Amino acid sequence: MKRAIVLAGGGAKGSYQFGFWKAIRELGIDFQIVTGSSVGALNGALMASGLYESGLSMWHTITTPDIIETSPSTLSQMIDTEGIVSSLKSFLGDLSENAVNVKMNPFPLGELIAKYLDEKLLRESEIEFGIMVSEYPNMKSHPVTLPEIPYGMLEDYLLASSTVYPSMEPKNIAGKRYVDGGYSDNFPINLALDMGAEDIIGVNLRASGIEAKYETDYPVRVIRPWFDLGPVMDFVPEIAERNISLGYNDTMRSFGKFDGSCYTFEKGEGEKMQAEFEKYCVDMLVKCGAVPLSEKSEYFRSLAVKGLAEKRKHRIGLMKKDLAVICAETAAETFFVDPTEVYTSESMRKAILDAFLPFEEKDENPMAVIFSSAKPLNYKLGQLGNLDKKDIIAYLVILWQNLAHTENPNRDLRTLCRYLPTEFFTSLYISFLKNKGE
């Protein structure tokens, strides 16, 4: 069986792919094919060459001037750029603004490739390598495998795959012009299939670019970041270090070595968290009226839980075992808990409560002011969009804490579980964490 690694483009976000590589090295996952587009082509060449330490050193040290030289674009002064930005949006998303208004010289990138890559070593490798470039001006995909690249011209093709037009001039190779692979296929799975892949692991950076559709009966596992990896053109060692940690954690979770959906927990912690949270959660859902007593055993099928699952893009059928982790992750993300760490249930509890404390200690909660007024409920609900969700959660935590000491259902909680399922369950989980520590 031939396994392929497929690496998407995404500029500075590409450091994430080295976290992925770190993980599969530890997992002992081998591969026979690597394909990539743009920065994925550069990372792919390093992977196919086996230059892990060299590539890691590169990502730990490079800055934006090491990649490109920038200056104000004369293009933006010569033409009405509004139309061009609009047309480029479908190809490059937010990067189109830079592509028009900034002129980039790729000369430093060529020097970087020469410094960290060894063409001879790559050609002697048993791992097959292919990259995606786009023909200019028709933007047609132009896949190229290593044997099709004349010796000594690898750097030219890697530069072509990273040529962000119109900021960079199309790369001229043998009388033909090429630009960034993202204009035609930023995630070249089809190229991997054409090269004989029977099993594919892809790393998609959620970056700008066109992704060609593919059809295959072979297994395809795609690893994607949940958290923002930073601007495409900001090459900063501190950001790269963070992205490498995220790529490592996401990959290890994907292969079942850690628990969690977007945050990372030690193996077995998810089951422990669910066991601790479930009774409190069900009792409070019944008490506030969000779940009828007769449906207590099927609480995970309630509209409230389904609303949370939809918001978090999680399978409803998995919520019975994952609800505590999803609630913890939602709370952690809302209050900006560090996603690069590997947590236990207790260390996550501490991190969430520490981050929540400033909002708990506010002298006046704006949502409390609104909901304590005599205004109609529809008016109150209409004001929610103007509030910081952290203030909403802090108010709901107070309601949960009060509910724990009364037998009367809370109308506000019962109503808000339909309108704000994320804040509803985040506050419920924080209330649980507070009670757990008492």
Side-chain angles (χ1 to χ4, degrees):
M1 178 187 71
K2 296 178 72 173
R3 178 180 294 117
I5 304 298
V6 179
L7 304 176
K13 299 175 190 284
S15 49
Y16 178 90
Q17 293 169 344
F18 257 75
F20 160 79
W21 192 7
K22 176 183 177 182
I24 65 171
R25 278 165 57 90
E26 288 187 18
L27 295 170
I29 295 173
D30 61 355
F31 48 92
Q32 292 72 45
I33 299 170
V34 180
T35 67
S37 183
S38 197
V39 74
L42 175 57
N43 283 338
L46 291 165
M47 287 188 72
S49 303
L51 294 173
Y52 174 76
E53 297 295 341
S54 179
L56 200 60
S57 174
M58 178 188 76
W59 280 109
H60 279 150
T61 58
I62 59 173
T63 61
T64 302
D66 296 322
I67 301 295
I68 51 173
E69 294 175 349
T70 62
S71 61
S73 174
T74 54
L75 176 65
S76 63
Q77 300 166 12
M78 291 165 51
I79 61 173
D80 175 13
T81 59
E82 184 175 344
I84 229 178
V85 169
S86 176
S87 66
L88 284 174
K89 281 285 186 183
S90 62
F91 289 104
L92 294 179
D94 292 339
L95 184 58
S96 61
E97 303 285 351
N98 285 335
V100 170
N101 295 312
V102 177
K103 191 70 175 174
M104 295 187 282
N105 178 2
F107 176 75
L109 177 57
E111 290 190 321
L112 196 76
I113 292 170
K115 177 179 178 179
Y116 286 100
L117 266 177
D118 184 333
E119 182 173 353
K120 182 174 181 293
L121 184 64
L122 178 61
R123 291 184 182 276
E124 291 174 350
S125 171
E126 295 181 357
I127 298 171
E128 299 176 53
F129 178 60
I131 67 176
M132 181 62 64
V133 297
S134 304
E135 296 178 1
Y136 179 84
N138 61 24
M139 301 304 180
K140 180 181 177 182
S141 64
H142 188 91
V144 186
T145 61
L146 186 60
E148 297 173 307
I149 299 175
Y151 197 96
M153 297 190 67
L154 175 64
E155 179 182 318
D156 293 294
Y157 278 91
L158 290 174
L159 285 171
S161 187
S162 302
T163 295
V164 182
Y165 175 81
S167 249
M168 297 179 184
E169 293 293 328
K171 183 68 177 176
N172 194 317
I173 301 176
K176 295 183 178 180
R177 292 185 292 173
Y178 302 101
V179 294
D180 197 293
Y183 279 100
S184 57
D185 190 359
N186 200 45
F187 195 34
I189 288 178
N190 283 313
L191 174 55
L193 292 169
D194 290 341
M195 292 172 68
E198 300 164 294
D199 179 67
I200 292 174
I201 306 173
V203 187
N204 189 323
L205 300 175
R206 296 188 187 274
S208 303
I210 299 297
E211 294 182 16
K213 293 181 179 180
Y214 63 88
E215 293 184 8
T216 180
D217 293 327
Y218 292 122
V220 178
R221 179 192 298 263
V222 180
I223 296 167
R224 299 180 178 89
W226 177 275
F227 295 95
D228 180 35
L229 300 180
V232 172
M233 299 309 295
D234 280 4
F235 292 83
V236 179
E238 291 78 14
I239 296 176
E241 185 63 35
R242 176 182 182 274
N243 291 347
I244 289 169
S245 295
L246 291 175
Y248 174 83
N249 288 349
D250 290 352
T251 304
M252 295 297 276
R253 287 200 318 274
S254 177
F255 284 94
K257 298 303 179 182
F258 290 137
D259 287 347
S261 296
C262 58
Y263 278 82
T264 307
F265 300 88
E266 291 181 2
K267 191 67 177 173
E269 288 295 295
E271 185 177 350
K272 176 183 175 182
M273 291 165 68
Q274 183 66 17
E276 292 176 340
F277 177 58
E278 189 170 53
K279 184 180 186 309
Y280 179 88
C281 172
V282 175
D283 287 348
M284 297 300 277
L285 290 176
V286 171
K287 204 169 185 179
C288 80
V291 172
L293 181 61
S294 60
E295 298 176 12
K296 182 176 179 177
S297 63
E298 296 291 310
Y299 74 94
F300 55 92
R301 300 186 191 280
S302 67
L303 289 177
V305 176
K306 287 180 179 178
L308 177 65
E310 182 178 343
K311 290 287 186 181
R312 297 299 291 184
K313 298 181 175 61
H314 201 77
R315 297 292 183 185
I316 294 172
L318 298 176
M319 291 300 280
K320 181 171 174 58
K321 74 178 186 68
D322 292 343
L323 181 59
V325 167
I326 296 300
C327 289
E329 292 180 331
T330 304
E333 187 176 3
T334 301
F335 291 95
F336 304 110
V337 171
D338 183 6
T340 66
E341 298 291 328
V342 179
Y343 291 94
T344 63
S345 60
E346 186 55 34
S347 63
M348 177 57 84
R349 172 183 173 273
K350 183 179 185 307
I352 290 173
L353 291 181
D354 285 350
F356 174 67
L357 188 60
F359 296 88
E360 182 180 34
E361 294 182 339
K362 270 190 175 182
D363 291 336
E364 187 174 66
N365 184 296
M367 185 167 178
V369 173
I370 293 171
F371 271 72
S372 63
S373 73
K375 297 282 188 178
L377 180 62
N378 284 343
Y379 168 82
K380 296 176 182 178
L381 293 175
Q383 298 301 304
L384 294 178
N386 300 323
L387 299 178
D388 185 330
K389 66 167 53 179
K390 293 183 279 295
D391 288 326
I392 296 174
I393 290 166
Y395 173 71
L396 295 181
V397 169
I398 295 171
L399 298 188
W400 286 118
Q401 296 292 88
N402 292 340
L403 183 63
H405 299 96
T406 180
E407 295 301 321
N408 300 319
N410 185 287
R411 180 188 176 192
D412 289 346
L413 282 172
R414 187 171 64 250
T415 300
L416 292 170
C417 78
R418 299 195 302 271
Y419 291 94
L420 300 170
T422 302
E423 291 83 351
F424 177 85
F425 276 101
T426 299
S427 61
L428 175 58
Y429 191 75
I430 291 175
S431 177
F432 161 72
L433 294 180
K434 288 172 63 65
N435 286 353
K436 182 182 176 184
E438 293 176 355

